[in-house]
Amino acid sequence: MAERKTILITGGAGFLGSHLCDRLIADGHDVICVDNFFTGAKHNIEHLIGHPSFELIRHDVTFPLYIEVHQIYNLACPASPIHYQHDPVQTTKTSVHGAINMLGLAKRLKCRIFQASTSEVYGDPSVHPQTEAYWGNVNPIGPRSCYDEGKRCAETLFFDYHHQHKLEIKVARIFNTYGPRMHPKDGRVVSNFIVQALQGEPITIYGDGCQTRSFCYVDDLIEGFVRLMNSPSDLTGPVNLGNQSEFTIRQLAEKVIEMTGSRSELISKPLPADDPRQRQPDISLATQKLGWQPATPLAEGLERTIAYFRTLLGA
């Protein structure tokens, strides 16, 4: 087994963070989960409470944290439009001040730090699929800017700390991820469709439904996180992590209706401002450098996710 480490995960009670807690504990490490529970949920990590390798701290990363660890995964930030647009100033502060505080901690400890960045740094892309070399097409003053530009600034800070202070950094750009423990009211397309289908409500499609997304199952993404964190120090990233299989939003809705046995109808609403028309990662770098690619087909991942929401909603 690899050397046992004490690992800090900010946003550790969130959708991705809680799965990462599980994985790292299973790998034999001690995990310190930090969350302010704005979008994280205690039920995501309640099965870990009392585990000898797990510790929970309620804390907001916009304030400094003084702690001793071997590695840091910085995942703290609301990641769905409904949540990050609720308090856009706080969203930007979480990305920027949170990055500064965690980078300062990593600098003091001389430890490796991982940044959960996002495909949103590419904005509404004019390059398809998106490679890490693409600089993006982002509106800096739109309703999504607090998240898009906050994450872009966080990447800048990570690379400036790397260049100026020789800090060991790892930056992952996450594409649409789904799976158990998604928030049922986060407004993301997979959870939206599944919840609406299970409750027999009309399924809401924004625009004509021809916009595309590529959906990566959470277990595959977490595997990518761990491989990137433990890769040679010269691989800083950014590295795209996502599934290259591309589907239209309408195709996803029809698939969810079929798999849930729902009688929900499709209804259309206007497309939100700055909503990307297409999103598909080029994962050549992750495949080449990490030996990583997603392994879970959409139907299999959706089956597990639907089962989770059935239990959660009692549907």
Side-chain angles (χ1 to χ4, degrees):
M1 193 190 85
E3 178 191 354
R4 187 183 189 95
K5 295 183 174 72
T6 300
I7 302 175
L8 171 64
I9 304 174
T10 70
F15 164 45
L16 297 181
S18 62
H19 283 279
L20 182 59
C21 287
D22 286 342
R23 168 60 188 269
L24 295 177
I25 289 172
D27 285 351
H29 300 295
D30 293 316
V31 168
I32 299 175
C33 167
V34 166
D35 209 296
N36 69 347
F37 295 102
F38 174 60
T39 56
K42 287 182 181 175
H43 65 75
N44 287 341
I45 44 127
E46 65 184 352
H47 62 288
L48 295 173
I49 302 296
H51 192 291
S53 296
F54 181 78
E55 184 178 347
L56 173 63
I57 300 174
R58 187 174 194 129
H59 181 80
D60 186 328
V61 295
T62 61
F63 298 94
L65 181 65
Y66 302 100
I67 201 168
E68 305 297 318
V69 295
H70 299 109
Q71 288 183 345
I72 301 169
Y73 284 85
N74 186 38
L75 274 59
C77 190
S80 72
I82 285 177
H83 290 145
Y84 68 62
Q85 291 171 8
H86 171 73
D87 188 345
V89 171
Q90 186 63 24
T91 296
T92 304
K93 287 172 68 176
T94 300
S95 284
V96 178
H97 291 190
I100 290 169
N101 287 329
M102 289 304 112
L103 286 162
L105 177 61
K107 179 188 169 190
R108 179 177 71 80
L109 298 174
K110 297 182 173 59
C111 76
R112 185 172 286 191
I113 182 169
F114 175 104
Q115 168 66 6
S117 190
T118 172
S119 61
E120 296 295 333
V121 300
Y122 299 121
D124 187 4
S126 54
V127 170
H128 191 74
Q130 293 80 60
T131 69
E132 291 88 352
Y134 177 52
W135 289 358
N137 175 36
V138 178
N139 176 1
I141 57 170
R144 302 170 73 101
S145 307
C146 58
Y147 185 68
D148 301 359
E149 297 289 32
K151 289 288 192 179
R152 285 164 70 95
C153 185
E155 285 195 15
T156 301
L157 286 161
F158 266 69
F159 278 90
D160 286 344
Y161 267 78
H162 172 64
H163 295 135
Q164 188 172 336
H165 302 296
K166 310 304 179 192
L167 197 63
E168 285 197 22
I169 65 165
K170 303 288 177 178
V171 177
R173 288 178 177 165
I174 303 166
F175 283 70
N176 294 67
T177 306
Y178 71 101
R181 302 182 197 160
M182 294 183 82
H183 196 293
K185 296 183 179 179
D186 66 6
R188 294 193 227 193
V189 64
V190 173
S191 49
N192 259 12
F193 287 178
I194 292 174
V195 169
Q196 289 171 336
L198 289 176
Q199 294 181 334
E201 299 171 353
I203 289 184
T204 308
I205 290 180
Y206 294 96
D208 59 10
C210 292
Q211 64 271 38
T212 66
R213 295 293 184 270
S214 308
F215 301 101
C216 184
Y217 188 66
V218 61
D219 289 357
D220 293 334
L221 184 78
I222 297 303
E223 175 67 25
F225 280 13
V226 173
R227 289 193 187 200
L228 178 56
M229 176 62 105
N230 297 313
S231 63
S233 58
D234 60 347
L235 180 62
T236 58
V239 176
N240 288 340
L241 294 177
N243 196 317
Q244 288 188 297
S245 299
E246 190 177 16
F247 299 87
T248 68
I249 296 300
R250 184 173 291 274
Q251 285 175 321
L252 176 69
E254 290 167 350
K255 186 75 172 174
V256 168
I257 288 173
E258 174 194 337
M259 292 185 67
T260 56
S262 175
R263 296 184 178 181
S264 295
E265 297 181 352
L266 304 182
I267 60 170
S268 295
K269 290 189 177 181
L271 199 64
D274 301 330
D275 192 60
R277 291 161 298 167
Q278 51 188 13
R279 182 81 82 220
Q280 183 190 24
D282 182 319
I283 59 170
S284 304
L285 183 61
T287 301
Q288 177 189 347
K289 297 290 188 180
L290 305 175
W292 177 88
Q293 53 186 0
T296 309
L298 182 66
E300 184 180 327
L302 283 177
E303 187 176 350
R304 296 178 197 168
T305 310
I306 289 166
Y308 169 78
F309 278 108
R310 279 195 196 280
T311 302
L312 186 70
L313 302 171

